[in-house]
Amino acid sequence: MPAHPLVNGRIPATVGVLGGMGPLASAAFVQTMYEMAVERTGPATEQALPRCLLDSDPSIPDRTEAILTGGAEALSRLIADRVDALIRLGADRVVLACVTAHHLLDEVDPGQRARLVSLIDAVFDELAVAAPGRFLLLATTGTRQARTFERSPRWPAVAHRVVLPPPEVQDEVHYLLYRLKREPVTAAVVRRVEDLAQQFGCVGVIGGCTELHLITRWRRANRGGPVILDPLLGVAAALTKLTDV
């Protein structure tokens, strides 16, 4: 196999994506990565674009169910094995394309974990440069129950800018996110996300679930919709930092 062309005098890193959770969102993320890479490189040849390894397996058990029913340990080992497999295939950095699954990284050894791109940190990075105002956290019930964002050492600095939906609204949020796994994005779903942000006096929402990347893409295509702090979009925009090692 011919060597990958040098970019800025270096061989770009290979990005691994552990997806399938859900498959539409992780596939859309890979497309977004390449679209944004092409926007940056302009007329450069496709051979100059980064190599990406996508492991999309929709049979991975439901992350929220594992957290709520005590099955997190076995699922954590499965995810660790899949991360290791991507690294053995040549991935220098790995994006775990499921926010809920970030709670399940205890079985990932420190060497592997150092290669993971944290979507939790990506959210906080987006929030640091976002417009003033508060943002409504839209995340699965598993993420909320595990307090995945609140347990981050970066949480105290941004907590005042994040609104957590009350239980009765959280149930709707969870249903809405799972609806995005099964159905194409519609204008009605986009409006409901926007309405939820307005209901709580927020300037936008935090994409605390990768399914919201599908709405981000809808918004980019239709030039409208709610402001979303989308960690997958943030990672795609910062791809040169991931691939220049």
Side-chain angles (χ1 to χ4, degrees), residues 39-122:
E39 289 174 9
R40 285 191 300 270
T41 58
T45 64
E46 64 186 27
Q47 285 75 25
L49 297 175
R51 181 186 180 206
C52 179
L53 304 173
L54 171 61
D55 179 359
S56 179
D57 183 2
S59 73
I60 293 174
D62 185 274
R63 283 65 62 200
T64 288
E65 183 177 347
I67 291 170
L68 298 182
T69 62
E73 184 176 348
L75 182 53
S76 181
R77 289 194 297 270
L78 172 62
I79 288 174
D81 289 343
R82 293 300 180 84
V83 171
D84 182 63
L86 283 168
I87 292 172
R88 285 188 282 107
L89 284 171
D92 298 289
R93 304 297 303 275
V94 176
V95 179
L96 179 56
C98 174
V99 174
T100 309
H102 279 61
H103 172 66
L104 307 171
L105 297 179
D106 291 342
E107 296 296 322
V108 176
D109 70 41
Q112 292 178 338
R113 196 172 302 178
R115 303 212 193 180
L116 284 168
V117 179
S118 169
L119 297 188
I120 307 302
D121 283 339

Side-chain angles (χ1 to χ4, degrees), residues 29 32 36 126 213 216 220 228 230-238:
F29 169 57
T32 298
M36 299 191 80
E126 291 289 298
H213 185 64
T216 295
R220 282 164 59 89
I228 300 177
D230 178 354
L232 290 183
L233 185 65
V235 169

Side-chain angles (χ1 to χ4, degrees), residues 49-209:
L49 297 175
R51 181 186 180 206
C52 179
L53 304 173
L54 171 61
D55 179 359
S56 179
D57 183 2
S59 73
I60 293 174
D62 185 274
R63 283 65 62 200
T64 288
E65 183 177 347
I67 291 170
L68 298 182
T69 62
E73 184 176 348
L75 182 53
S76 181
R77 289 194 297 270
L78 172 62
I79 288 174
D81 289 343
R82 293 300 180 84
V83 171
D84 182 63
L86 283 168
I87 292 172
R88 285 188 282 107
L89 284 171
D92 298 289
R93 304 297 303 275
V94 176
V95 179
L96 179 56
C98 174
V99 174
T100 309
H102 279 61
H103 172 66
L104 307 171
L105 297 179
D106 291 342
E107 296 296 322
V108 176
D109 70 41
Q112 292 178 338
R113 196 172 302 178
R115 303 212 193 180
L116 284 168
V117 179
S118 169
L119 297 188
I120 307 302
D121 283 339
V123 164
F124 293 138
D125 291 343
E126 291 289 298
L127 192 55
V129 297
R134 300 192 303 166
F135 290 81
L136 181 68
L137 177 63
L138 300 187
T140 66
T141 297
T143 295
R144 291 294 310 280
Q145 286 286 101
R147 295 177 55 83
T148 305
F149 284 92
E150 297 95 312
R151 289 188 293 107
S152 168
R154 299 178 65 179
W155 174 255
V158 300
H160 64 289
R161 298 194 62 194
V162 180
V163 175
L164 304 175
E168 65 276 9
V169 177
Q170 175 58 37
D171 289 342
E172 180 189 356
V173 168
H174 186 83
Y175 170 79
L176 190 66
L177 296 172
Y178 274 63
R179 182 176 171 184
L180 287 169
K181 293 177 181 289
R182 303 186 302 266
E183 305 172 9
V185 177
T186 64
V189 170
V190 174
R191 281 197 303 271
R192 184 55 188 147
V193 171
E194 198 162 25
D195 289 345
L196 284 169
Q198 294 174 356
Q199 177 182 338
F200 289 92
C202 294
V203 297
V205 301
I206 291 172
C209 175

